[in-house]
Amino acid sequence: MEAPLRHHSNQAELSRVNTWAQSNHLLSVAEVQHTMANETLTDWDSGLLDCFEDASTCCYGFWCGPCLACTVSGRFGENNCLPLCDIFCGVPIPPAALSVRAAMRNRYGIKGSLCNDIFISCCCASCSWCQMHRELKHHKKNPTVVNTQYNIVNMQPIPAVPTPMMMMPPQPGVYMVSQ
């Protein structure tokens, strides 16, 4: 249980922050966790070792793994060059593979744990990138719609109003030729 605020200025500040957050449609971590708890989590569309389910992704990952990783990162909305950190960083846990995998699980409501993501990113990074590529293909076919705002905007086309034509009286020395 939270301790009550004792100072009047702190209560006013909290009220002002809450009003600002509500007007900007910001959610607290508790609200997001409550929303996430009500959603049922799903499995990955394909398994980690289901590379031959999609031969083109398998070949892409085998022959040019860094290119596949950069493609996945870009299609997921991150910087295309983010996976290059895994190559040049030199740490045992590839940070880009881990972060994109965890973010993808979070965005699409996929079952799993951070511990599992760490293990997969360390031991099977190329299989992980292939699995994420297949998942993005699956969600491209079946897009996930996320409504982040409560305002509904109804866009209607602007009606076309014909512009009036003005007829000019003929001027001496000016001739109109139609083609």
Side-chain angles (χ1 to χ4, degrees):
M1 187 151 181
E2 292 182 316
L5 295 173
R6 296 184 182 182
H7 301 292
H8 181 67
S9 63
N10 288 344
Q11 288 176 343
E13 179 70 20
L14 182 62
S15 175
R16 193 174 79 226
V17 168
N18 283 338
T19 303
W20 178 84
Q22 289 171 355
S23 67
N24 288 306
H25 304 291
L26 297 177
L27 300 174
S28 69
V29 172
E31 289 171 316
V32 171
Q33 287 174 343
H34 176 70
T35 303
M36 292 290 290
N38 292 337
E39 291 182 16
T40 56
L41 297 177
T42 61
D43 290 323
W44 288 89
D45 182 55
S46 62
L48 182 65
L49 302 176
D50 287 345
C51 278
F52 295 107
E53 187 176 294
D54 181 6
S56 63
T57 297
C58 180
C59 288
Y60 191 20
F62 179 77
W63 294 109
C64 194
C67 296
L68 173 69
C70 291
T71 298
V72 169
S73 181
R75 287 185 183 170
F76 190 64
E78 295 296 332
N79 188 308
N80 288 354
C81 297
L82 180 66
L84 299 178
C85 294
D86 292 351
I87 296 169
F88 298 118
C89 198
V91 295
I93 300 173
L98 174 61
S99 60
V100 172
R101 184 174 181 84
M104 190 173 290
R105 268 192 328 97
N106 185 30
R107 180 181 295 175
Y108 297 134
I110 299 172
K111 294 177 191 173
S113 67
L114 190 54
C115 186
N116 192 30
D117 292 339
I118 292 170
F119 178 77
I120 289 171
S121 297
C122 288
C123 299
C124 317
S126 58
C127 292
S128 177
W129 284 113
C130 288
Q131 183 184 34
M132 289 188 283
H133 190 260
R134 290 190 303 273
E135 192 70 27
L136 285 173
K137 281 183 169 182
H138 171 73
H139 283 281
K140 186 177 179 184
K141 291 178 193 170
N142 306 317
T144 301
V145 178
V146 178
N147 186 3
T148 58
Q149 294 199 3
Y150 302 106
N151 299 339
I152 298 173
V153 178
N154 187 5
M155 299 290 288
Q156 294 182 354
I158 299 171
V161 178
T163 56
M165 293 185 61
M166 296 180 60
M167 298 298 288
M168 298 292 291
Q171 300 287 327
V174 176
Y175 301 99
M176 305 234 356
V177 178
S178 65
Q179 296 178 1

